[in-house]
Each structure stands twice: as C-alpha cells, then as structure tokens.
Amino acid sequence: MPETFTSATNGPDDDAPFRSRLSFDLDVDICVVGAGLAGLTVALEAARLGASVAVLEGRHVGWNASGHQLGTVMPGYSLPIGDLIERVGLEDARELWAMSKEGADYVRAAATEEAMPGITLTEGALEVSTVDAGETLISRLQTLSEDFETEVEGWQVDRVRGELGTARYFHGIYYPRAFQIDGRKYIHGLATQARRAGARIFEDTPVVSIDSSGIRKRIVTPSARLRASHIVLAGNVHLGAPLRRLSETLLPVWRYAAVTEPLGERLGEVIAFKGSVADSDGIDHFRIVDGDRLMWASPETTWEARPRRFGPVVQRRIATIFPQLGKVPISDVFGGAVGVTVHGMPQIGQLRKGLWVASGFGRQGLNTSAMAGQVIARSILWGEERWKLFSPFELVWAGGATGRVAGHLIGLWGRGHSAAAGALARYREGARAREHVREARLAEANRQAGTGLPRRPPAGPRPVRPQPPRPVEMQDGGAPVVPSQESERIRDGSV
Ligand SMILES: Cc1cc2nc3c(=O)[nH]c(=O)nc-3n(C[C@H](O)[C@H](O)[C@H](O)COP(=O)(O)OP(=O)(O)OC[C@H]3O[C@@H](n4cnc5c(N)ncnc54)[C@H](O)[C@@H]3O)c2cc1C
C-alpha cells in the first residue's frame, strides 16, 4: 500500500461552518478570548445562564490542540493522584478529583448522537504499565476506588496481554466509565451549541490588547473594540500580547498523532481492546478508529514543527510496541500545542476582579476544560467559589526559552528512562521464566535419580546469559545517555 502523509498542516476543517471576523464595536457581559475547548465551554455555559457572550478567536474554532486530539475522556488531571494528595491534602484532592469527574460527565452529556451527529462515543480506557509494578497498581486501585470513588478494575499481566498483543505492557488499570469521542466533531459541536445558546463567535479576530482595570473592561482587536464586564482568557499557549506574563507561565509542548490506513482483520488479531490505551509514562496513547485503523499519539517537541515529519516516527513507534503489525501505512498526521504548567494542574480562576483564566490543561484537556468552563460560568453568574480550590496552584513562570530547553531534556530523559525501565522489567520477567524452567528440570532430574538431593544439570554447552540493559545515566552536561539501540530513535524524537 502506498504511504501517504496527508493533513500535514492544521488547516481549516471541511465541516467547520464559516463565522465572521469582528468588524464593529460591541458591548457584552462576557468576552472570551480563544475558541478552543475551554473558551467554547465557558461561552456555552455562560450563554445558557443568560449572559451576552462574544468569543474572539485569532484563527478558527479548534485551530490548535482542541481540534487535533484523540478524544479520550478520563477523570483526573495531568498531575498524578499521589502528588495531588501530597500538595493539597486528601480532602481537597477528593474535591478536585470529583470536579474532574464532573468534567467527564459534562462531555458525556453533551456528546450525544442527537446533539453532535457522528460523535461515535465508545466506552472504556486502559492505563497500562511499562514495568512490572503490581504493588503500586494495587495501592493506586485502592486510592482510586475507596478514597476517590472512581470505578476501576485491576488487570493482571495475562489479561492485558490477552487484549493487547505485546510483551511491552504488564499490569493495567481499566476505567469502565472513561470513554472516547470523535474529538473534531466535539469541538465543532460545542461551537454550534454555544451559538444556538446565543453566544457570538468571531473567527480571524485576534485580541491584541486588554485593559482590565475598570468595571467595564476594554478589549482591542485589529478591526474592532469591545467592552465587557468579564474577560475570560482561554488562549492557552498562544495568548501572547494581551497578557504575555500569563503565556509565560505555560511550557508549550507540541504533541503529534497519526492515523493509519485501514489495516483489516490483522489489527483486531493484535489489539482486541476497543477503548483507549495510554501507558503510565504518558508516552504512547492510542485507540482503534473506524473499525480497523490505529490512531496513535506519541512524539513531542518543545518547538513548533510540521506534523508531517512525525508520520514515520509514529510508524516506528507502532512497530516497536506491536512488531506483528510491521510498518503500517499512515494516512493522516496532525498535532497541536498543549500548555503544561510547572505544577501539572490547570490554571482556573480569577486573576483580578472580572479577569478570569482557563488554560494549562496539558495532555488531559477534555474533562478538565469542560469542568473549567462550567466552574467559571457559574462563578461569574452565580457567584460560586469552587475555583478557589485551584488557588494553591499559582501562576509560576515556566522558564521562557531556557524552560523549553529544560522541558525538552526532561522529556527526553523521561522517555529514555521509561525505555530503559521497560527493557529491564522485560529482562527480569524473562529471567524469572528461565529460572522456573531450570527449577522444573532440576526437580525432574532429582525425581528420576530417586534422591531428594539436588543434582547438577547435565553437562553440555552453557547457555548464553542475556545481559540486563544498561541503565540511563546523566552525562556531565545533563544530556541523557540511553541504551544504544533506543538512543538513535530518542534523538530523533521517535521514542
Ligand atoms: C495530539 C494530541 C492529542 C490529545 N489527546 C487528548 C485526549 O485524548 N484527551 C484529552 O483530554 N486531551 C487530549 N489532548 C489535550 C487537549 O487537546 C488540550 O488540553 C486542550 O485542547 C486545550 O484546550 P484549550 O482550549 O485550553 O486550548 P487551545 O486548543 O489551544 O485553544 C486556544 C485557542 O485560543 C486562541 N487564541 C490564543 N490567543 C488568542 C488571542 N490573543 N486572540 C484570539 N484568540 C486567541 C487560539 O487560536 C486557540 O484556537 C491532546 C492534545 C494533542 C495535541
């Protein structure tokens, strides 16, 4: 089959309805900057509660990450649950977690076939471990189900491998209430619903400056001015000029994904699981779409690059995890920039009276942006104060250009470390299996000799002992040294 890497740029989607540029001055209750998942959910909820809302989008609806994601909806945040408890204590962590579940419920309620035709909701997500970490898994399962009232199942290695034909994965946590949707349909569905609720959406309308000092705030675009009682900044990493200091609290991470050509029945023979799969290191995330295609996200950069470059990278990654599939033909490659905060939690709340922020959702933005939209709309219109639960997670400068370099190196190190830890876990597993065979042979030899004493195994050529993989070390300059075979691919971002 020929290889084609299409959709190389994040161009406008064919099904995106035309929305005009703002060319006249306007007075509204709420001005939302950015028509991604966060901005559109705020707009929809605020319009439903009766506010007059204008959404100003510099490019077009879903232009960035929101229109180029995998559509997996899970509870939680980018920050691991253990770290969340450590940071705010069990009680607040439980409340924050419950809010993240509400976000997932919000998406489920909105993403119906009637409201968003073709949204294709499917159930269940599996988080798999790349190392043999049964103990950790049991404690996480307990935390999730007992303390955080989340439906989860622990899957043993055999079950995981029965569903996913690879020796790369060990145990798994199955979330039966997680689900996936068509991500592009969802963002356009949100825009349609917001418009129906009365929000006005203006594309090709970048906000170049804001003055948030007075009761009526001023917003300037190249072709018009707005006045609003509230401004919601939902521009993510591209916010730029209106509040550059806010943009600088986010580390931009471009994440790329590819969709394969139809792979036929062989895909189902290798991957029986129908939901989303994500590894516990946050590196690979994939699911089957359209019955026999794989959609797979993995490569990341801290600078903007053309998604097309990453088709072969994803191709190699799939072949590494599922060698049976070989070199799969890729039909589509896409990507977007996610905003990563220093603490791993989203930025949700009021910066000063009437100036709100909803950004920094990282790699898990569907449930969290939905929750943020609802929380902010209700805070503005009902005076709710739940956003204050996010106050411990302050706006911390992400380090500018140096932060990006550091972020890149940390990402490389994390991937190298994960590859090495995975290889070590698989080596240990192999060694254990070989030890069992050796013990069984010894027992059999003793039985035949009729003695209870251990006997030396029969003489013969000694089997070659496989060597464990070398661990990841840090070089003097801080760059990671990784096991040789993986290192080439890590350097080109493919692992
Ligand atoms: C490949 C990939 C896969 C992903 N998969 C998943 C997944 O399966 N599940 C999940 O939960 N999350 C996933 N994510 C993460 C999720 O997509 C993001 O967290 C989420 O989309 C962020 O939404 P947002 O509204 O904050 O930002 P954005 O999508 O970046 O939207 C912000 C918008 O604001 C506009 N803007 C910025 N500045 C201005 C300005 N000054 N004036 C006017 N407009 C402005 C931008 O043009 C942009 O359209 C994935 C991300 C990627 C890249």
Side-chain angles (χ1 to χ4, degrees), residues 285-298:
H285 174 192
F286 57 90
R287 66 188 183 97
I288 294 179
V289 291
D290 303 336
D292 65 350
R293 292 170 186 258
L294 249 187
M295 181 153 67
W296 191 295
S298 180

Side-chain angles (χ1 to χ4, degrees), residues 83-349:
D83 297 349
L84 183 61
I85 301 171
E86 211 169 282
R87 185 75 198 256
V88 295
L90 184 60
E91 209 169 300
D92 282 1
R94 283 173 53 141
E95 254 194 82
L96 285 164
W97 187 268
M99 288 166 82
S100 83
K101 280 169 54 181
E102 280 171 31
D105 292 343
Y106 179 96
V107 179
R108 186 183 278 277
T112 60
E113 277 298 329
E114 302 77 62
M116 301 182 185
I119 194 80
T120 333
L121 190 148
T122 53
E123 305 282 352
L126 185 61
E127 186 187 315
V128 286
S129 171
T130 52
V131 293
D132 193 357
E135 300 279 302
T136 323
L137 178 99
I138 291 168
S139 100
R140 269 197 62 206
L141 278 173
Q142 274 172 348
T143 308
L144 281 167
S145 61
E146 288 166 21
D147 298 330
F148 289 79
E149 293 169 9
T150 302
E151 231 178 288
V152 278
E153 284 172 21
W155 283 16
Q156 294 296 344
V157 182
D158 290 350
R159 176 134 189 225
V160 169
R161 293 186 182 173
E163 295 281 333
L164 307 170
T166 176
R168 290 254 161 179
Y169 299 145
F170 291 82
H171 300 86
I173 297 183
Y174 176 60
Y175 295 78
R177 296 271 308 148
F179 57 97
Q180 36 278 316
I181 49 174
D182 181 321
R184 291 187 194 195
K185 290 249 160 52
Y186 183 69
I187 184 80
H188 292 295
L190 267 186
T192 305
Q193 291 192 4
R195 225 161 38 144
R196 283 192 194 137
R200 302 170 74 175
I201 301 171
F202 299 96
E203 294 185 323
D204 198 12
T205 305
V207 171
V208 291
S209 71
I210 58 171
D211 174 0
S212 59
S213 52
I215 299 217
R216 295 290 290 166
K217 293 157 194 339
R218 294 158 199 274
I219 301 102
V220 179
T221 78
S223 47
R225 284 163 191 273
L226 263 91
R227 280 156 60 91
S229 305
H230 295 265
I231 301 176
V232 182
L233 301 172
N236 195 12
V237 296
H238 295 102
L239 180 67
L243 200 54
R244 197 161 296 282
R245 273 183 302 135
L246 181 61
S247 304
E248 287 172 356
T249 59
L250 292 176
L251 174 72
V253 174
W254 279 265
R255 188 160 169 80
Y256 308 92
V259 181
T260 68
E261 296 279 0
L263 300 177
E265 283 178 11
R266 71 192 176 112
L267 181 59
E269 286 159 15
V270 177
I271 302 176
F273 187 68
K274 298 283 180 270
S276 290
V277 181
D279 69 34
S280 48
D281 301 321
I283 294 175
D284 294 309
H285 174 192
F286 57 90
R287 66 188 183 97
I288 294 179
V289 291
D290 303 336
D292 65 350
R293 292 170 186 258
L294 249 187
M295 181 153 67
W296 191 295
S298 180
E300 290 185 348
T301 56
T302 50
W303 64 89
E304 188 167 10
R306 290 185 344 135
R308 186 186 179 87
R309 259 185 65 189
F310 296 93
V313 176
V314 173
Q315 201 174 43
R316 282 203 294 276
R317 194 65 197 156
I318 294 173
T320 303
I321 306 290
F322 295 107
Q324 315 91 303
L325 292 176
K327 194 177 171 193
V328 290
I330 302 289
S331 72
D332 189 9
V333 192
F334 56 89
V338 299
V340 175
T341 56
V342 169
H343 40 63
M345 285 293 279
Q347 302 168 329
I348 298 173

Side-chain angles (χ1 to χ4, degrees), residues 34 37-38 57-58 64 66 70 72 207 236 238-239 285 362-363 365-366:
L37 287 168
E57 164 57 48
N64 183 38
S66 297
L70 261 60
T72 304
V207 171
N236 195 12
H238 295 102
L239 180 67
H285 174 192
R363 298 167 187 85
L366 270 156

Side-chain angles (χ1 to χ4, degrees), residues 130 132 161 167 170 419-435 464-470:
T130 52
D132 193 357
R161 293 186 182 173
F170 291 82
L424 190 61
R426 293 193 298 283
Y427 166 79
R428 285 197 186 119
E429 186 184 39
R432 268 200 306 274
R434 283 188 294 278
E435 188 59 22
V464 181
R465 263 187 93 170
Q467 294 299 305
R470 281 182 290 126

